Amino acid sequence: MNKFLFLLLLFPIIAIGQIQEVNSEELLGKLIGQLKNGYGDPEVSLRNKDDRYVFTYRNRRFDHLTQYGTFQFKCSKDELDLFFNYLVSNLDSVSRKRRFIEKTLKIPTGILQLNFNRRLGNNYVQIIHTPKKIDGLEQLLPLNKKQLFKLFGK
């Protein structure tokens, strides 16, 4: 009986010894840029793993829930810079006369709708992701030019 009890107590000790710390950069990829809210929680982040870029964002569709979504695409660093320049140039083209510009991009994980608009004298881009497998829209935090530069690590 004592041997059985000893073996029963030894098993959890052996199992705990198997736990190892995982490096998040190896698992998730290198962090390029991140925006946090006032509480220090991440709102939007951009990571790079190999030639795949992953945007992780807090879904702004629900105020009372903390739900995160992602979209990703495979491209080179130069193509990511082209996407960044595309966002900035459209953001700069919003003016008093042309307050709203809507663009739609198809990516492998769904559709990105980019709404460039002007509020209270500032230009913002609202990114809305429509995933292929889920009904409904997922909204990102409206981003101004300074936040875009921070997100893309510029």
Side-chain angles (χ1 to χ4, degrees), residues 6-144:
F6 175 74
L7 288 175
L8 195 61
L9 292 174
L10 187 62
F11 180 71
I13 294 171
I14 293 171
I16 291 173
Q18 301 294 325
I19 298 173
Q20 296 179 357
E21 186 175 332
V22 177
N23 185 355
S24 65
E25 275 203 17
E26 289 176 10
L27 185 64
L28 300 172
K30 182 182 175 215
L31 181 67
I32 295 174
Q34 184 176 44
L35 301 175
K36 295 184 177 186
N37 63 14
Y39 301 110
D41 298 327
E43 284 285 338
V44 184
S45 67
L46 175 60
R47 292 185 175 271
N48 175 15
K49 186 169 185 180
D50 301 326
D51 58 350
R52 187 165 299 279
Y53 290 90
V54 180
F55 285 83
T56 305
Y57 57 90
R58 181 172 177 243
N59 189 357
R60 305 295 289 180
R61 183 174 169 199
F62 305 109
D63 290 336
H64 58 285
L65 295 176
T66 304
Q67 178 185 20
Y68 287 90
T70 63
F71 63 87
Q72 59 184 334
F73 45 85
K74 194 174 185 176
C75 69
S76 68
K77 177 71 173 150
D78 293 334
E79 291 170 330
L80 184 72
D81 288 339
L82 285 173
F83 179 61
F84 169 74
N85 291 333
Y86 176 78
L87 291 173
V88 171
S89 66
N90 279 301
L91 200 59
D92 288 340
S93 67
V94 175
S95 64
R96 284 184 170 194
K97 293 180 182 177
R98 191 173 179 194
R99 290 182 177 265
F100 186 77
I101 300 171
E102 183 178 331
K103 303 283 184 176
T104 303
L105 302 175
K106 289 184 180 181
I107 59 172
T109 58
I111 296 172
L112 288 182
Q113 182 179 341
L114 307 172
N115 296 332
F116 300 93
N117 57 22
R118 186 174 179 88
R119 282 190 245 157
L120 300 172
N122 295 317
N123 296 348
Y124 292 93
V125 58
Q126 175 77 47
I127 302 173
I128 299 172
H129 178 224
T130 307
K132 284 184 177 179
K133 297 180 181 178
I134 301 172
D135 291 334
L137 305 173
E138 297 184 356
Q139 298 179 7
L140 273 72
L141 168 81
L143 303 171
N144 61 24

